[in-house]
Amino acid sequence: MRFVEVYAGAYASGKSETSINRARQFANKGEKITLVDLDTVEPAYTLRPIAQELKNIGINVITQPDNFGLGEAASYITPAQVNCLSTEGNIIIDVGYGAGGLDILDIITNINQEQDLRIYLVVNTSKFETSTIDNIVEYVTFSEGLQKRPWKKFSGIISNTHFGDETTKEDIIKGYEKLKKAAEITKLPIIAIGVPENLAVDFGNNYDGVEIWVYKRMMPKAFW
């Protein structure tokens, strides 16, 4: 049975980077994986500029084919995006930030019928919206969206505290420890800890029993 993973989060939480690198994990193992760009909240950051690069490493990418309607002119949705679940194999969906981020899922044909739907919140504690334990707890409820569908519930959290190229091992651990306390309150498991490539050797495969996901930064090339 295939899975469908959705990644949401606050502005600059790293949800797109997480989506890309999660897809890379499966592509690197030769598994069929499709990455769907449904970030209509901040569409100037689209996967379109790096779509070919992702395809070259074995990731099937569904995104807008051109610039028309993006950026300040708002966005448009293609039939391929609406019907992305008709694609064979596992699927990863990158959505926008804020209350409207997850609401875009309502346009996807039959998503509420997926047997293994996993919706994850990417949290970067260096950002104001999720900088404290209370803020994180509040953001979990806030980012579930305006349309409170029974199936639209978070399955877990991705710890992704970072300061771009200035990120240190201590930053990542401090963010994780803060998120760990919020996770206990929300009763949502921490699924993974995001770690940039240059710090991967400092962590190994897991930290505190939580899986480490190594990130190759690609989103700086995706702004158009």
Side-chain angles (χ1 to χ4, degrees), residues 23 33-37 47-48 50-56 58-64 80:
I33 189 72
T34 294
L35 177 59
V36 184
D37 181 2
L47 297 184
R48 186 193 56 77
I50 59 174
Q52 188 57 54
E53 184 176 352
L54 295 174
K55 291 176 182 178
N56 290 343
I59 301 173
N60 179 37
V61 180
I62 297 178
T63 186
Q64 288 91 347

Side-chain angles (χ1 to χ4, degrees), residues 25-172:
Q25 290 178 15
F26 296 96
N28 288 341
K29 293 185 290 186
E31 298 183 22
K32 183 177 292 187
I33 189 72
T34 294
L35 177 59
V36 184
D37 181 2
L38 273 176
D39 184 351
T40 58
V41 178
E42 188 70 42
Y45 279 104
T46 172
L47 297 184
R48 186 193 56 77
I50 59 174
Q52 188 57 54
E53 184 176 352
L54 295 174
K55 291 176 182 178
N56 290 343
I57 61 174
I59 301 173
N60 179 37
V61 180
I62 297 178
T63 186
Q64 288 91 347
D66 52 45
N67 291 343
F68 179 77
L70 295 176
E72 294 180 357
S75 185
Y76 71 101
I77 301 297
T78 68
Q81 289 168 302
V82 173
N83 298 305
C84 63
L85 298 186
S86 63
T87 306
E88 294 183 2
N90 297 321
I91 296 176
I92 293 172
I93 302 174
D94 174 28
V95 301
Y97 65 87
L102 281 184
D103 285 339
I104 194 66
L105 297 180
D106 293 332
I107 73 164
I108 299 179
T109 304
N110 297 328
I111 190 169
N112 61 320
Q113 297 176 22
E114 282 294 323
Q115 296 183 40
D116 192 0
L117 174 64
R118 314 165 187 175
I119 302 179
Y120 297 132
L121 183 67
V122 180
V123 176
N124 179 355
T125 62
S126 74
K127 300 303 176 182
F128 174 77
E129 297 94 332
T130 51
S131 59
T132 69
I133 295 172
D134 288 342
N135 284 351
I136 295 168
V137 173
E138 290 177 4
Y139 202 84
V140 168
T141 301
F142 169 72
S143 56
E144 284 181 349
L146 303 175
Q147 304 295 326
K148 303 296 184 182
R149 310 295 190 195
W151 52 269
K152 199 187 296 179
K153 298 293 183 182
F154 288 113
S155 304
I157 304 173
I158 310 298
S159 180
N160 188 42
T161 293
H162 68 88
F163 293 87
D165 294 334
E166 306 300 318
T167 306
T168 66
K169 177 181 179 180
E170 290 70 28
D171 293 330
I172 295 171

Side-chain angles (χ1 to χ4, degrees), residues 10-35:
Y11 179 76
S13 61
K15 56 189 176 45
S16 295
E17 206 75 87
T18 298
S19 300
I20 291 171
N21 281 280
R22 181 61 167 159
R24 287 179 65 245
Q25 290 178 15
F26 296 96
N28 288 341
K29 293 185 290 186
E31 298 183 22
K32 183 177 292 187
I33 189 72
T34 294
L35 177 59

